[in-house]
Amino acid sequence: MFQTLYSYFWWERLWLPANLTWADLEDRDGRVYAKASDLYITLPLAFLFLVVRHLFETYVATPLAGLLNVKEKVRLKATPNAVLEKFYAATTKHPKQADVEMLSKKSGCTVRQVERWFRRRRNQDRPSLLKKFREASWRFTFYLIAFIAGMAVIVDKPWFYDLREVWKGYPIQSMLPSQYWYYMIELSFYWSLLFSIASDVKRKDFKEQIIHHVATIILISFSWFANYIRAGTLIMALHDSSDYLLESAKMFNYAGWRNTCNNIFIVFAAVFIITRLVILPFWIMHCTVVYPLDLYPAFFGYYFFNFMMVVLQSLHIFWAYLIIRMAQKFITGKVVEDERSDREETDNSEEEEEVAKNGPLSNGHPVLNNNHRKTD
């Protein structure tokens, strides 16, 4: 049964145009072609990426955070309470009003104390500023290096300037060593992102991030199997062109460099919109949808590859919407924040009570000058 499924999976009509077989892509006369077995190395490389990331975050990102004066907010801890902790862990982190009243009776706390306890407990589980900075630093470093490497791989190729060259001679297109390593490193990195997504900073687009990583892994792998390598290198370099700008903006935001963050964000927004909403659909996708039909009839691989491109493009439109919302806040003078972030909650009612009793507080202590405003 396994052999039958294997045969169906690698049926030439799924992966290659008509009248071509895998025998046409066997290495000969010094020409090397992409093979599915080449991708086995990406899984151990993905775990190597996780090790390198840990070392980078520990010995590079953490000292850098200290130099940039990345400071943590003082978080008030929730008082230990077995009843509330059990409900928090087993039921929900966001109890409804009826649940709050029930927990108030069980725990002996007032309704207001229960609400405050859940706010503080949720804040305790939110990632620290240092964790966010370290993650952004790692991604910034990879995306910047990947973009430079990607441009080095494709900038001297004829298909970088004339997209019709992408399909010249397809699929009998030999693989270059630079293309091999570019593919292996990019695919390994996205595997590592998928492996670590559960422990990384969770944002509002968590599900979309999973879809993006899975779609990217499938698209990179399929383009390798079907020898869409020329198109694949163009697509990967195009995606890396804006990602390092976003991560650098986050780093400066966490460090409190608001003006620098906002300026980089504006550059990122412009590059993202131009590359993802203009170049990708109107140049690259036009190249993958229209030009191949001049050479061979459409086949399953053609439809599948372009379907995955549509999935990625849909995610780009979703993220462009979030970026435009942030740009509007910047234009209106509001602080630019990552729309995907889960904002920390504050105990407003508690602060008002403390102010009434003791005057404004700073890190839990009264300040002498009552004209100063408490900063969360």
Side-chain angles (χ1 to χ4, degrees), residues 232-270:
T233 53
L234 290 173
I235 294 167
M236 290 188 295
L238 190 70
H239 279 72
D240 291 335
S241 65
S242 62
D243 289 339
Y244 69 91
L245 292 169
L246 175 61
E247 299 303 330
S248 63
K250 289 181 186 178
M251 291 169 61
F252 286 113
N253 180 47
Y254 301 144
W257 295 29
R258 300 298 183 190
N259 290 335
T260 304
C261 166
N262 292 340
N263 292 332
I264 294 176
F265 173 78
I266 292 299
V267 176
F268 157 74

Side-chain angles (χ1 to χ4, degrees), residues 105-117:
K105 296 176 182 178
K106 283 188 175 182
S107 63
C109 302
T110 65
V111 169
R112 180 180 167 188
Q113 287 172 332
V114 172
E115 291 172 342
R116 184 186 304 157
W117 188 93

Side-chain angles (χ1 to χ4, degrees), residues 174-225:
S174 58
M175 173 189 64
L176 302 174
S178 59
Q179 293 172 326
Y180 170 84
W181 285 110
Y182 188 36
Y183 255 80
M184 297 305 109
I185 290 172
E186 285 276 352
L187 183 55
S188 301
F189 178 74
Y190 279 101
W191 273 119
S192 73
L193 290 184
L194 190 63
F195 294 156
S196 65
I197 196 168
S199 59
D200 286 344
V201 176
K202 289 184 176 60
R203 295 185 169 88
K204 294 178 183 178
D205 64 343
F206 178 73
K207 293 180 181 179
E208 289 81 4
Q209 284 285 348
I210 294 178
I211 295 172
H212 175 268
H213 296 340
V214 171
T216 301
I217 289 171
I218 292 174
L219 191 57
I220 293 176
S221 300
F222 181 85
S223 66
W224 185 261
F225 296 158

Side-chain angles (χ1 to χ4, degrees), residues 2 9 29 32 37 104-105 110 115 132 140 200 203 224 233 244 271 274 278 322 341 360 371-372:
F2 177 79
F9 183 80
D29 301 326
V32 179
S37 59
S104 173
K105 296 176 182 178
T110 65
E115 291 172 342
K132 293 179 180 179
F140 162 77
D200 286 344
R203 295 185 169 88
W224 185 261
T233 53
Y244 69 91
V271 173
I274 291 171
V278 179
L322 298 182
S341 296
N371 291 324
H372 291 177

Side-chain angles (χ1 to χ4, degrees), residues 238-344:
L238 190 70
H239 279 72
D240 291 335
S241 65
S242 62
D243 289 339
Y244 69 91
L245 292 169
L246 175 61
E247 299 303 330
S248 63
K250 289 181 186 178
M251 291 169 61
F252 286 113
N253 180 47
Y254 301 144
W257 295 29
R258 300 298 183 190
N259 290 335
T260 304
C261 166
N262 292 340
N263 292 332
I264 294 176
F265 173 78
I266 292 299
V267 176
F268 157 74
V271 173
F272 184 95
I273 291 172
I274 291 171
T275 56
R276 309 290 180 93
L277 300 188
V278 179
I279 296 177
L280 185 65
F282 296 107
W283 271 270
I284 304 299
M285 290 183 68
H286 181 268
C287 168
T288 62
V289 172
V290 177
Y291 295 162
L293 299 181
D294 295 337
L295 302 175
Y296 53 81
F299 64 106
F300 173 80
Y302 165 86
Y303 290 116
F304 183 79
F305 182 86
N306 286 294
F307 169 76
M308 296 307 299
M309 290 292 291
V310 170
V311 172
L312 281 184
Q313 187 59 33
S314 300
L315 291 171
H316 296 157
I317 293 171
F318 168 75
W319 283 317
Y321 164 73
L322 298 182
I323 291 169
I324 292 171
R325 284 182 57 180
M326 287 190 283
Q328 288 176 335
K329 291 184 178 182
F330 173 77
I331 293 171
T332 56
K334 296 181 180 179
V335 176
V336 173
E337 295 182 41
D338 190 341
E339 284 286 341
R340 304 171 301 157
S341 296
D342 187 12
R343 293 175 179 82
E344 189 164 324

Side-chain angles (χ1 to χ4, degrees), residues 135-156:
E135 181 179 313
S137 300
W138 165 247
R139 296 193 183 199
F140 162 77
T141 303
F142 176 83
Y143 289 135
L144 179 60
I145 294 174
F147 174 63
I148 295 172
M151 292 304 296
V153 168
I154 64 176
V155 74
D156 62 338

Side-chain angles (χ1 to χ4, degrees), residues 43-101:
L43 292 178
L45 279 179
F47 288 102
L48 179 60
F49 262 118
L50 294 177
V51 173
V52 173
R53 172 180 174 174
H54 174 72
L55 296 175
F56 176 89
E57 291 184 349
T58 302
Y59 297 106
V60 179
T62 300
L64 180 60
L67 290 175
L68 293 178
N69 203 25
V70 175
K71 292 183 178 179
E72 294 287 355
K73 293 181 179 179
V74 177
R75 292 179 177 177
L76 299 175
K77 293 185 178 181
T79 305
N81 187 304
V83 173
L84 301 182
E85 185 66 39
K86 181 179 179 181
F87 187 91
Y88 180 89
T91 307
T92 179
K93 299 177 181 180
H94 297 272
K96 297 179 180 179
Q97 188 60 35
D99 296 326
V100 171
E101 293 174 359

